[in-house]
Amino acid sequence: MDSAPLSQLEQRLIGHIQILYPHLDAGEFTRTCLSTFGLDPKTESPQPHRNIWDQSDTMLITYADTLRTDDEAPLTTLHKFVKTELAQCISTVHLLPFFPYSSDDGFSVMDYTSVKPSVGRWSDVSTLSTDFKVMGDLVINHCSSRSMWFENFKAGVEPGASYFYEASPNTDISNVVRPRTSPLLREVQTKAGVKHVWCTFSHDQVDLNFENPTVLLEFLSIIKLYLEKGIRWFRLDAVAFLWKTPGTPCINLPNTHEMIRLLRLMIEHYAPDAVIITETNIPNRENLTYFGNANEAHLIYNFSLPPLLINTLVTGSCDHLKNWLMRMPPAQQGTTYLNFVASHDGVGLRPTEGLLSEWELDNLINTMKRFGGKVSSRTTPSGEAKPYEINISLWDALSGSVSKGPDQWQFARFMCAAGIQLALEGLPAFYIHSLFGTENDHERVDNTGQFRSINRHIWNMDDLEHRLNTPTHHQKVFNAIRELIQIRRGQTAFHPNATQYVLHTGDKLFAFWRQSLDRRQSLFAIYNISDEPQTFNLAELNLIATDDWWDLITDNRYEDRMAHITLMPYQFLWLANKKGKKK
C-alpha cells in the first residue's frame, strides 16, 4: 500500500530541512519536528499577506521588573499599572527576558523554561496575555555560560555536549563581523580537554550550534512552551549571527534566513495570530532583507530611525531623515516596520552607515556625550575599534541642540519625536522610560559597570506615582504621549500599512502624507524640527478642495486653503480631512 501523500505543511518543512540539514532523512526529521511542536501535519496554512494589526496597535517595551513595589511580584505590579493607566493606549507588551540569567540584564539565559522567581511566575505571564498581546524574547543565538547546557558541555554529557559552536584558535575569523571588542573565542577546560567556544557578544554568552539539529528541536520545544503560556509575538534576539561559516562575516548568512522561514512556518501554523519580529541591529539595506518575500519576519525593527531622528532634532535639519525615508520601500501586506526611538539598548550606530558622514556621526556622538551619554564600541574585522551605540536616555538625548546645548525646548523636542514616531508607516513601540521622560541613571551605571544601565532605571512605584500625580515633567510627558496615542488609534490613515509619501518642504519642516487603505482619510503630518518658528503655506499641501480639514492635535479647522501657518519650535500638525474618533 502506498504511503499517505504529504501535506502542504510537511512538504514545505521538508524543503527547509533539506537545505539546513542535507545529511538527514528530511521526512523522518520533519515528523520529529512536528511531534516535538505538537503540530498536526494536516494543519491548514494561515492566509498569507494578512495584516494582523491596525492603527489601534501600539507596543510597550519593558523589563518585567522596571516597576517595583514592596511585597508584590514585579510582573503583578506591571500588569496592574498597564491595565490601569495604559489600557486605552497599549495593545502589546514586550516583556524583555524574564528568565533566570547570569548577566546582560536577562540576555544571558540560564534556563529558557522558567520565570525568574524574583519577578513572578508563568501564571503572571499568562494572566497578562489575557488583557494584552505579549511579546517574549527568544534569545536564540547564545545562552549563559552558567546554564545547565554549558555545564553539561564541560562535562561531556547531553543535553549540552554538542550544543555549542566550537572553533580552533587557527580558524580564519578575520572576516567575522561583531558588535563587541572582546575576543571572539573563549578557552574552556572540559572533561575532554581544552576547547574554544564562539562568543559573539561576551564570554558569558556562548553561541549555540544550530548545525546540530537537536538544538533546533530544543528551541521548538521552548517555543511551544511560550505559546502554551500565552505568548504570541516572538522577538528573535541577535538572530543575524545565528549561523556560522568560518571564512565569512558570519552574519546574515543564507542558512540564518532559512532558519527564520522554518520557525515562522511552524509558529504561524500553531497560532495563526502569531507574529515574528527579527532583532537585527545592522545597516539598513541588510536589515530589510529580513522581510524575505513576506515569509520571514512579520515586522523588522526600523533601526535607522532612532539615530536619524535624534540627529534631526538636535541639528535642526531633516535632510538625512527625509532622504532615508524616501528610499524606504513600502512594506508588503502582511509585513510592517516596528518604529521605535528608544529601547533597553543604546542608540545603534551601524544603521547610520551610508546615511551619516563620519563628521556628522562624530558631531552627534559628541553632542550626546555633552548631554550625559556614553559610547560603546565594537571591533571591526581589521581590529579597529569603532563606536557601536550611544547609551543615553531619550529624555536627555533631546535636552538641547548641537549648536546651543541644553535649552528650554526639551519637552517640545521630546514630543515632536513621539509625534513623528506615531505617524510614520509602521507600528509604534515605546520603551517604558520614554513614557515617563526618565533621565540618565548614572548611579546604576556606577553600580553595574555597564553603559547600557544608563537607560535601565528601576522605578519604585510610590516614587513614580508621586511624580505622575504632581506637576513634574514626568507627568507632562506621560499625559501628552497617552493623548497622542489615543488620537492615533482612531485614524485609519495611521494604519501601519497605509500609504506614505514624503513631502519636499525644506530642511526645517519635516512632512509626509498618509492615506488610509480605503483611501477615505488623507492626513498630512507636518513638523517644525528646529528651534526657530517656521512658516508654510497650506497651498503647498494640495488639500482636496471639497473636503474640510482639521488639525487632530488642536481640533482647529482650516477653511482658507491659502493660509500661512506658523509652527513654533518643534510644534507639529496632524492635518486630516476626516476626524476619526479618539479611542
Side-chain angles (χ1 to χ4, degrees), residues 112-130:
Y112 290 88
T113 64
S114 64
V115 176
K116 186 181 178 186
S118 62
V119 303
R121 299 175 295 182
W122 272 120
S123 58
D124 297 312
V125 176
S126 298
T127 301
L128 180 64
S129 73
T130 63

Side-chain angles (χ1 to χ4, degrees), residues 318-319 322-323 326 501-513 536 540-541:
C318 66
D319 281 349
K322 181 171 61 179
N323 292 336
M326 286 192 296
Y501 285 110
V502 179
L503 306 179
H504 295 280
T505 48
D507 69 335
K508 302 298 181 188
L509 290 172
F510 178 58
F512 50 91
W513 172 66
F536 71 97
E540 299 175 38
L541 301 182

Side-chain angles (χ1 to χ4, degrees), residues 9-26:
L9 172 58
E10 289 173 305
Q11 292 177 44
R12 293 174 63 187
L13 187 54
I14 284 173
H16 296 308
I17 289 169
Q18 286 175 332
I19 293 172
L20 291 167
Y21 306 111
H23 59 287
L24 292 182
D25 180 326

Side-chain angles (χ1 to χ4, degrees), residues 25-26 55-56 61 68 120 129 177 202 286 314 372 468 508 514 520 552 564 579:
D25 180 326
Q55 61 277 5
S56 67
I61 305 168
R68 294 184 185 177
S129 73
V177 173
S202 79
E286 298 171 29
V314 299
L468 296 182
K508 302 298 181 188
R514 304 292 309 277
R520 297 182 64 186
L552 301 176
H564 283 77
K579 292 194 296 182

Side-chain angles (χ1 to χ4, degrees), residues 24-235:
L24 292 182
D25 180 326
E28 181 180 346
F29 190 64
T30 290
R31 290 188 288 273
T32 302
C33 288
L34 292 172
S35 174
T36 300
F37 212 60
L39 200 55
D40 187 333
K42 297 179 182 178
T43 303
E44 291 188 10
S45 300
Q47 180 184 347
H49 306 295
R50 294 178 306 133
N51 295 323
I52 322 174
W53 45 75
D54 61 22
Q55 61 277 5
S56 67
D57 282 299
T58 300
M59 180 183 290
L60 174 70
I61 305 168
T62 182
Y63 281 102
D65 61 349
T66 294
L67 308 180
R68 294 184 185 177
T69 191
D70 294 337
D71 303 321
E72 186 172 70
L75 274 171
T76 301
T77 303
L78 175 68
H79 188 181
K80 287 180 179 177
F81 180 82
V82 179
K83 189 173 182 179
T84 302
E85 302 292 344
L86 296 173
Q88 301 305 311
C89 305
I90 297 299
S91 62
T92 306
V93 178
H94 173 198
L95 284 179
L96 291 158
F98 48 82
F99 320 105
Y101 67 91
S102 55
S103 65
D104 198 20
D105 284 345
F107 287 92
S108 295
V109 179
M110 295 171 64
D111 179 5
Y112 290 88
T113 64
S114 64
V115 176
K116 186 181 178 186
S118 62
V119 303
R121 299 175 295 182
W122 272 120
S123 58
D124 297 312
V125 176
S126 298
T127 301
L128 180 64
S129 73
T130 63
D131 292 317
F132 302 91
K133 290 175 278 193
V134 175
M135 181 160 85
D137 274 278
L138 196 63
V139 185
I140 196 168
N141 178 71
H142 51 261
C143 74
S144 170
S145 66
R146 290 173 53 194
S147 65
M148 180 197 72
W149 289 347
F150 198 66
E151 290 299 320
N152 286 352
F153 171 80
K154 291 187 288 186
V157 298
E158 299 290 2
S162 59
Y163 280 21
F164 297 92
Y165 196 86
E166 301 176 46
S168 162
N170 298 321
T171 300
D172 179 10
I173 58 173
S174 60
N175 293 318
V176 174
V177 173
R178 298 182 59 224
R180 298 291 186 270
T181 56
S182 57
L184 176 61
L185 300 181
R186 173 188 169 183
E187 183 179 298
V188 181
Q189 185 66 50
T190 74
K191 186 176 181 180
V194 173
K195 295 186 177 183
H196 294 82
V197 292
W198 195 283
C199 300
T200 297
F201 291 88
S202 79
H203 282 189
D204 186 41
Q205 294 166 300
V206 189
D207 285 35
L208 293 156
N209 180 16
F210 274 85
E211 291 181 13
N212 178 358
T214 307
V215 174
L216 170 59
L217 294 177
E218 285 279 12
F219 273 88
L220 290 179
S221 176
I222 290 164
I223 293 168
K224 180 174 182 286
L225 171 66
Y226 295 176
L227 286 162
E228 291 170 346
K229 300 300 183 182
I231 293 171
R232 287 295 179 271
W233 288 46
F234 292 85
R235 176 184 184 268

Side-chain angles (χ1 to χ4, degrees), residues 298-510:
H298 292 88
L299 285 85
I300 63 171
Y301 280 82
N302 225 344
F303 273 110
S304 295
L305 179 61
L308 290 181
L309 182 51
I310 292 171
N311 186 70
T312 292
L313 292 169
V314 299
T315 62
S317 171
C318 66
D319 281 349
H320 291 304
L321 180 64
K322 181 171 61 179
N323 292 336
W324 163 73
L325 201 59
M326 286 192 296
R327 296 197 299 269
M328 287 291 281
Q332 291 188 53
Q333 297 296 317
T335 67
T336 194
Y337 298 101
L338 190 72
N339 293 325
F340 71 109
V341 188
S343 75
H344 60 291
D345 289 338
V347 179
L349 298 178
R350 286 213 69 205
T352 68
E353 291 177 14
L355 302 174
L356 295 180
S357 69
E358 282 196 31
W359 178 86
E360 288 166 324
L361 190 57
D362 287 343
N363 206 21
L364 176 62
I365 290 171
N366 290 332
T367 301
M368 294 301 100
K369 286 181 177 179
R370 288 169 62 196
F371 297 164
K374 308 289 185 181
V375 178
S376 298
S377 297
R378 68 182 180 93
T379 300
T380 66
S382 65
E384 177 188 6
K386 291 191 69 173
Y388 176 70
E389 66 179 17
I390 299 168
N391 304 111
I392 192 169
S393 79
L394 185 60
W395 176 253
D396 285 303
L398 298 176
S399 60
S401 66
V402 168
S403 60
K404 300 175 184 177
D407 59 23
Q408 74 270 37
W409 302 113
Q410 186 173 18
F411 172 75
R413 192 180 286 111
F414 191 85
M415 292 309 303
C416 187
I420 292 173
Q421 176 185 359
L422 283 165
L424 287 172
E425 175 191 349
L427 192 152
F430 284 90
Y431 186 39
I432 192 167
H433 291 301
S434 295
L435 297 183
F436 308 142
T438 306
E439 303 97 326
N440 290 332
D441 191 338
H442 293 290
E443 182 179 353
R444 188 167 172 81
V445 173
D446 292 340
N447 290 339
T448 65
Q450 302 296 319
F451 286 167
R452 284 181 169 177
S453 297
I454 199 169
N455 198 26
R456 297 178 178 178
H457 181 71
I458 301 295
W459 278 104
N460 174 275
M461 278 306 299
D462 289 340
D463 183 20
L464 178 62
E465 288 175 347
H466 173 73
R467 297 187 190 213
L468 296 182
N469 290 301
T470 54
T472 61
H473 83 265
H474 303 287
Q475 181 193 61
K476 196 174 178 182
V477 165
F478 189 56
N479 291 339
I481 291 183
R482 287 191 300 176
E483 177 77 10
L484 279 183
I485 295 174
Q486 288 176 50
I487 293 172
R488 179 189 190 276
R489 286 165 61 93
Q491 317 310 318
T492 53
F494 281 151
H495 186 287
N497 294 87
T499 299
Q500 175 175 285
Y501 285 110
V502 179
L503 306 179
H504 295 280
T505 48
D507 69 335
K508 302 298 181 188
L509 290 172
F510 178 58

